[in-house]
Amino acid sequence: MKDTKMDFRNRRKIFTDLESRTFDILIIGAGITGAGLARDATMRGLTVALVDAADISAGTSSRSSKLIHGGSRYVAQGDVTVVRMAANERKCLRRIAPHLSITNPMVIPAKSIVEKQLLKGFIWTYEKLGNVEKDELHQMWSKQRLQKEEPLMRKSVNQNGALVFPEYLTDDARLTLANARCAHANGAVVATYAAARAIIFDGARVAGAEIKSTLPGDDSAAVVRAHIVINAAGPWVDDIRLMEDPKAGRRLQLTKGIHVVVSRDRLPVTRTIIMRAPDKRGLFAVPRGNHVYIGTTDTFYPRHDYWPEITREDINYLLETTLAYLDVAPFKDDDIIALWAGLRPLLGEEGKKPSEISRRDEIMTGPGGLLSVAGGKLTSYRAMAEQTIDQCELILKRKHVRALTDEEPLVGGDFAGTVQELGARIAALGLSPAQAQRAAFLYGSEALTLFTEEKGIAPEVRHAVLAEGALTLEDYWVRRSARAHFGEPGVESSMEKAADLMGELLGWSEDRREMEIKSCRDALANEMGAVKTKKENVDEQ
């Protein structure tokens, strides 16, 4: 595999590189869509610049439900195209990133014989459409077996057993990062904290964008020229469209999904439990290491915030449904370890509820040739990229080249055997079994060298800066390490050590170091605001 290290410390050189030539493609937005596009395009030999106003995956692509869905739930909506694509892409991800596609059995309890038969019909149709392999076919459990396997399940919802089928658990931020690093290794110029401030034109044709640094203390800027500009800005897609054409109507409908994280000791489930809220929406409780996260809401949201507001109503909606399905003591605020919320940039459909809006993707072409990619879902990012770059080849009048994005491993995915076996090899370096499995999941094969000489947070921080493009404490704490939402008890005390190490590598002053710590803590405190508010109110009484 090529050298995939991304070191973004020399900002002036990066901005000089952006301005030094005319690229085949400029991609605005380094979420999963933009990173996937960059990987595909560079593997075809195209020259690419990839820019983002914040960090890689800072928006939607680090705030999803972190599940690779095969598309079974879209059978009921009759969305055959989405089902087939999702099922195929799920298999593809297992090939190229086995560490980021961990088998995660899902359990759907049935309250009646009729419901059980309907579930069986839906899953059978999905398995046929998706050409699901034999070892991943569904099982139908009796109520006795379900009670044995998941003893917390309340009898009121376990009246006729359950449908059980495998899906995959991923880490969305690291999946996005792996794609960006592969693109970088293939020649892409990648710039984070580099916002597109204006679209530039050659006559009536879009010819690039003005880019300005958003990093504190950095005034770097560049005019980036490209034959094609792709707008992959997620929730901000319409804002970029308006830069090209101020008369362009808005196409996106943003919906918000929140997740509640609790200890697995507090909610000891062994598989993902699918639950149905009073409004008939499907929710889930997903085990991940020593944690379980419960999600997700699906409500319209008016703003494109990096940190969408989480309300007490959102939290209660999830926890009350969980208590209706699982026989555990009522949750207290102290049980909530973390919260996160993300926005889904869906293509608006008049009159439909948030959960009814299709997850289809669409490529929109503006009057000046700006290509805007909107909609879609995490699972199908690679296929979306392939279709979009196919279109770019036609525009550039280049001979079609098929990028082997479905075969070449992503960073960390080049290892033999299972992820569990990889974890055992990592444990032999001196990590605990739990630490080794976490390392295998987040870093894949890279963990075998990452923790050879040093353990703990230090090698992770250095790797984040020297190989993964981290420039702020939040980059590491929230997205590179997942410690913000899945940290062990007392892990926050390591935040200052992480800031010290990053400061040494990035040349931070003491004021800048303190600012980074405060910014990161404030952002996470804001996520927990609804919980904190209730605690303060109780204390005041």
Side-chain angles (χ1 to χ4, degrees):
M1 181 176 287
K2 297 177 181 177
D3 183 5
T4 60
K5 291 179 180 178
M6 289 194 308
D7 183 346
F8 289 165
R9 290 178 295 173
N10 191 340
R11 297 279 286 175
R12 194 161 301 282
K13 181 180 185 304
I14 291 171
F15 277 79
T16 298
D17 288 346
L18 286 173
E19 206 164 42
S20 66
R21 53 183 158 150
T22 299
F23 293 89
D24 291 320
I25 302 173
L26 164 63
I27 301 168
I28 300 172
I32 190 62
T33 300
L37 287 164
R39 176 176 181 247
D40 188 297
T42 54
M43 288 179 69
R44 301 191 200 203
L46 298 171
T47 57
V48 172
L50 173 65
V51 301
D52 196 286
D55 184 28
I56 293 165
S57 80
T60 297
S61 296
S62 59
R63 301 177 172 278
S64 75
S65 296
K66 308 183 192 303
L67 296 170
I68 301 298
H69 285 299
S72 54
R73 77 186 185 93
Y74 301 111
V75 172
Q77 298 176 5
D79 212 333
V80 174
T81 301
V82 171
V83 171
R84 283 181 172 153
M85 178 184 287
N88 180 68
E89 290 306 305
R90 191 181 73 143
K91 287 188 272 187
C92 171
L93 188 59
R94 174 55 66 88
R95 286 195 304 273
I96 65 174
H99 60 305
L100 292 172
S101 49
I102 306 299
T103 299
N104 176 48
M106 291 195 167
V107 178
I108 308 180
K111 291 185 178 181
S112 67
I113 294 175
V114 172
E115 184 177 9
K116 194 170 186 178
Q117 291 303 314
L118 284 172
L119 289 171
K120 190 172 183 178
F122 283 140
I123 199 68
W124 183 87
T125 303
Y126 159 70
E127 289 171 347
K128 292 296 181 183
L129 289 172
N131 195 26
V132 173
E133 296 174 7
K134 187 176 180 179
D135 62 349
E136 295 208 337
L137 295 176
H138 74 277
Q139 298 178 23
M140 300 302 298
W141 284 0
S142 66
K143 62 181 180 180
Q144 291 81 10
R145 181 168 181 192
L146 177 54
Q147 199 64 46
K148 178 183 177 182
E149 299 283 351
E150 296 291 348
L152 293 181
M153 191 72 69
R154 292 188 184 276
K155 292 181 180 179
S156 58
V157 294
N158 176 22
Q159 296 175 9
N160 282 274
L163 165 68
V164 183
F165 63 99
E167 292 283 25
Y168 297 156
L169 177 68
T170 194
D171 186 288
D172 47 6
R174 295 208 59 91
L175 179 62
T176 305
L177 177 65
N179 276 272
R181 288 179 62 189
C182 286
H184 178 75
N186 286 316
V189 178
V190 182
T192 56
Y193 296 94
R197 297 302 190 197
I199 297 295
I200 63 172
F201 295 83
D202 183 359
R205 183 78 184 169
V206 169
E210 295 178 7
I211 306 299
K212 181 76 171 62
S213 174
T214 60
L215 204 62
D218 178 19
D219 60 358
S220 300
V223 174
V224 186
R225 299 190 175 276
H227 299 299
I228 297 173
V229 178
I230 302 179
N231 169 16
W236 298 270
V237 156
D238 280 339
D239 289 359
I240 303 299
R241 291 177 61 239
L242 288 167
M243 288 183 188
E244 179 202 27
D245 179 13
K247 297 180 181 179
R250 291 192 173 272
R251 291 291 312 279
L252 294 189
Q253 179 65 71
L254 304 182
T255 67
K256 180 184 72 173
I258 85 138
H259 302 78
V260 177
V261 183
V262 298
S263 166
R264 198 162 175 179
D265 290 337
R266 185 65 178 80
L267 189 62
V269 294
T270 56
R271 300 165 184 82
T272 293
I273 308 298
I274 305 299
M275 307 170 288
R276 192 170 294 279
D279 62 1
K280 307 303 181 184
R281 280 207 67 249
L283 309 180
F284 46 74
V286 184
R288 171 171 163 166
N290 295 325
H291 303 82
V292 174
Y293 61 93
I294 304 162
T296 173
T297 58
D298 200 2
T299 54
F300 290 126
Y301 194 76
R303 305 181 304 277
H304 38 40
D305 300 335
Y306 276 104
W307 300 81
E309 180 186 11
I310 298 173
T311 67
R312 171 56 62 172
E313 183 181 9
D314 294 328
I315 297 167
N316 291 345
Y317 174 81
L318 297 177
L319 296 184
E320 287 169 4
T321 297
T322 303
L323 292 174
Y325 273 74
L326 300 170
D327 189 8
V328 294
F331 293 99
K332 300 177 181 178
D333 279 1
D334 287 344
D335 293 320
I336 299 174
I337 294 172
L339 300 165
W340 83 81
L343 299 179
R344 305 176 187 90
L346 306 178
L347 290 161
E349 295 183 47
E350 193 69 32
K352 287 196 173 185
K353 297 178 182 178
S355 59
E356 295 173 340
I357 298 176
S358 173
R359 269 52 176 173
R360 66 187 173 85
D361 60 278
E362 181 178 327
I363 304 172
M364 298 173 280
T365 304
L370 177 72
L371 298 183
S372 296
V373 184
K377 54 201 296 289
L378 178 68
T379 304
S380 305
Y381 84 89
R382 192 205 63 85
M384 289 165 53
E386 187 175 82
Q387 294 168 1
T388 306
I389 303 304
D390 282 349
Q391 184 168 330
C392 289
E393 285 183 325
L394 293 174
I395 295 170
L396 293 169
K397 297 179 180 178
R398 287 176 58 113
K399 182 180 178 181
H400 174 62
V401 175
R402 191 177 91 79
L404 300 179
T405 56
D406 57 344
E407 297 180 17
E408 184 172 308
L410 286 170
V411 177
D414 55 340
F415 59 90
T418 66
V419 178
Q420 290 71 27
E421 290 168 342
L422 175 64
R425 293 168 63 193
I426 297 167
L429 299 175
L431 279 70
S432 72
Q435 290 170 338
Q437 288 301 326
R438 170 187 173 273
F441 180 44
L442 296 182
Y443 297 101
S445 60
E446 287 194 305
L448 293 171
T449 54
L450 189 57
F451 300 102
T452 300
E453 297 180 0
E454 201 173 0
K455 313 298 180 285
I457 203 170
E460 290 186 8
V461 172
R462 294 191 186 98
H463 187 67
V465 173
L466 302 178
E468 297 180 336
L471 291 173
T472 72
L473 181 59
E474 182 191 309
D475 293 351
Y476 167 70
W477 198 256
V478 178
R479 289 174 288 277
R480 304 299 188 275
S481 70
R483 293 187 184 279
H485 300 122
F486 299 102
E488 297 305 313
V491 74
E492 190 180 349
S493 62
S494 299
M495 185 184 287
E496 292 202 10
K497 180 179 180 181
D500 288 342
L501 291 166
M502 291 191 77
E504 291 173 9
L505 293 167
L506 291 162
W508 291 345
S509 65
E510 182 59 24
D511 286 346
R512 172 66 185 277
R513 173 189 170 280
E514 291 298 321
M515 184 198 76
E516 289 288 336
I517 294 171
K518 183 178 186 303
S519 176
C520 194
R521 284 182 173 158
D522 286 352
L524 297 176
N526 182 62
E527 279 191 319
M528 294 288 283
V531 174
K532 181 181 177 183
T533 298
K534 182 174 181 181
K535 286 181 179 177
E536 288 175 344
N537 291 340
V538 170
D539 291 340
E540 288 170 4
Q541 294 172 4

